[in-house]
Amino acid sequence: MTSPPIALLAELTHRCPLACPYCSNPLDLLAREAELDTETWARVFREAAAMGVLQLHLSGGEPASRRDLEALVTSAREAGLYVNLITSGIGLTPARLQALADAGLDHVQLSLQGITAEKADRIGGYAGGFARKMTIAAEVTKIGLPLTVNAVMHRHNIDDLEATIAFAANLGARRIEVACVQFYGWALPNRAALLPSRDQVIAAKRIVDAARPAYAHRMAIDFVPPDYYADFPKACMGGWGSTGLNIAPDGKVLPCHAAATIPGLTFDSVQDRPLAEIWQHGTAFTAYRGHGWMQDPCKSCARREIDHGGCRCQAMALAADPRAADPVCRHSPARAMVDRIIAAEATAPAPAFTYRRLAPQA
Amino acid sequence: MSADPIPSLPRGTRLHHDSVRGAMVLLAPEKALILDEIGAAILSAVDGSARLSTIVARLAARYDAPLAEVAGDCAEFLRGLAADRVIDLHD
């Protein structure tokens, strides 16, 4: 028996007023008509809690684009889950936020595209978004909900990191997640517009190291460095199919948000099969669970229990083989390609963003 | 910071009995800590009004354990959680 997952990321919708060029959603976005209804999500939350999921992350797109968000929070709390809302703040109002808090919302994770309206709205591709976000941030702390600021960092804003950390603390955040863009979803075609330089990343690490003691007992600081500058890969998802799962707006169950980029995987839907069965036996979950799929250098690597070979989707994206070592790894034969990408893209003039948008209806 | 603070669980941090794993879990923003018996006993004694020294004395009495050992365990555990902003410590 595979041990149960801890966390479920529910992508309630792909609709979002923002158009961030690093969105983790797939390039092929789903329309509203494809979304699961309220009662199906409520059943999925009950199934998830019964199988051992503890934390539910309500995400999207922008989850506030769902008019039934309050009902979804209520049903998730009734199921016994810890409910985290991952939001841009757009689509929330003070009254709606209070209703979500009354429904049992545990925590708010608010994205931050930049610390000035000019920059944030340019990156998010949505005029006026920053001002509305600030209203909601103030309301979250006024209500008393714990706030995490999720500051997504890339070449256009990583030099503002010190000020960004101070900004989050002044908003009243208990936690900031300094998340450097990783190259999945919309970020991959926008890589040359987003990839920071090595010097920028080194400076960011220094700033985080200095800020942690400075903000101790006020705000915790999590730092996600960019994979491309790492020597060894991250233990992606804590190991494929081991601790978490994602459900797309249409009910397809994925081992991670990028898994659909791996050809040949088929994803069961919660509309057809119980969630626990999908987790245990679904072919997308068993495909890279454990270490049986590995080839060298991972197979005989001393670090395989530490990083599980890194990220399968990154191996697919860069080495065109989901069974390859994560190409960011120093032991990967494809590492030279990552270094060539850095040399070619990180310090060259940044091209314009390709903003994340739903394809026009045919 | 007081040597004898009052620990409390802020909003968004709560204890949960996980019937699937048969364990107490501390649920907090971006965290789910599956607790061992000691961790569960310490956090169950956190009521938002008792000082650390009172919690230590109660646990030492209940488990018939040496006061100094309980004091060390409690302080290390709670201060670690506070540094990570999972719990609050008030003067």
Side-chain angles (χ1 to χ4, degrees), chain A:
Chain A
M1 273 281 280
T2 304
S3 54
I6 305 263
L8 166 61
L9 184 84
E11 292 177 352
L12 299 175
T13 179
H14 280 161
R15 289 175 285 140
C16 183
L18 267 61
C20 305
Y22 46 74
C23 182
S24 63
N25 285 159
L27 299 179
D28 200 4
L29 296 166
L30 294 164
R32 175 200 288 243
E33 295 70 38
E35 293 174 10
L36 296 181
D37 64 17
T38 316
E39 190 37 54
T40 307
W41 276 118
R43 168 178 61 81
V44 168
F45 297 157
R46 291 191 294 271
E47 287 186 33
M51 69 192 273
V53 169
L54 296 168
Q55 291 217 337
L56 173 66
H57 304 289
L58 296 175
S59 181
E62 170 51 58
S65 300
R66 292 273 308 211
R67 292 202 191 130
D68 58 353
L69 186 60
E70 294 84 340
L72 293 172
V73 170
T74 300
S75 60
R77 278 302 302 264
E78 280 172 5
L81 296 167
Y82 184 94
V83 185
N84 174 29
L85 180 67
I86 300 177
T87 181
S88 67
I90 312 302
L92 294 174
T93 59
R96 207 169 174 212
L97 199 61
Q98 185 62 57
L100 291 168
D102 293 344
L105 181 65
D106 285 296
H107 172 233
V108 175
Q109 189 196 102
L110 187 70
S111 64
L112 191 67
Q113 285 73 24
I115 55 170
T116 63
E118 185 278 328
K119 191 178 276 193
D121 291 351
R122 180 170 63 84
I123 292 166
Y126 184 75
F130 181 78
R132 294 171 69 178
K133 185 189 297 285
M134 290 304 104
T135 305
I136 291 305
E139 200 62 26
V140 171
T141 50
K142 187 176 149 205
I143 288 174
L145 285 167
L147 173 68
T148 292
V149 166
N150 180 20
V152 181
M153 292 282 129
H154 44 78
R155 66 188 287 176
H156 299 283
N157 63 7
I158 196 166
D159 296 333
D160 304 332
L161 178 55
E162 199 169 356
T164 303
I165 292 170
F167 189 88
N170 288 333
L171 286 179
R174 292 179 69 92
R175 176 172 294 274
I176 181 172
E177 191 174 311
V178 178
C180 294
V181 167
Q182 308 290 17
F183 296 102
Y184 305 101
W186 289 78
L188 190 56
N190 278 304
R191 188 176 59 202
L194 295 166
L195 186 65
S197 69
R198 189 176 297 277
D199 287 346
Q200 284 183 305
V201 173
I202 290 168
K205 284 181 178 164
R206 273 202 212 106
I207 288 165
V208 168
D209 286 344
R212 279 191 174 129
Y215 287 90
H217 298 284
R218 183 172 176 204
M219 182 175 74
I221 303 175
D222 288 338
F223 181 56
V224 182
D227 290 348
Y228 281 35
Y229 290 103
D231 290 325
F232 297 108
K234 61 180 180 273
C236 198
M237 298 298 291
W240 184 277
S242 71
T243 57
L245 72 176
N246 281 30
I247 302 183
D250 61 354
K252 288 217 173 69
V253 188
L254 284 73
C256 68
H257 59 77
T261 60
I262 299 180
L265 292 181
T266 50
F267 303 101
D268 294 301
S269 169
V270 294
Q271 305 199 73
D272 306 324
R273 213 177 168 189
L275 189 61
E277 208 180 292
I278 296 173
W279 172 255
Q280 286 289 333
H281 305 297
T283 54
F285 283 87
T286 56
Y288 303 107
R289 183 176 276 150
H291 296 153
W293 54 270
M294 282 182 177
Q295 43 195 10
D296 276 326
C298 298
K299 199 173 165 184
S300 55
C301 183
R303 291 181 57 88
R304 69 180 217 171
E305 302 297 331
I306 300 169
D307 58 37
H308 313 290
C311 172
R312 300 305 84 229
C313 305
Q314 195 140 261
M316 182 65 223
L318 297 178
D321 178 4
R323 294 172 66 234
D326 188 326
V328 306
C329 182
R330 294 288 154 196
H331 300 312
S332 163
R335 175 67 219 191
M337 191 208 317
V338 177
D339 291 326
R340 280 198 300 276
I341 290 167
I342 291 172
E345 296 179 2
T347 50
F353 293 143
T354 300
Y355 285 103
R356 167 222 200 265
R357 311 247 183 238
L358 274 160
Q361 296 300 305

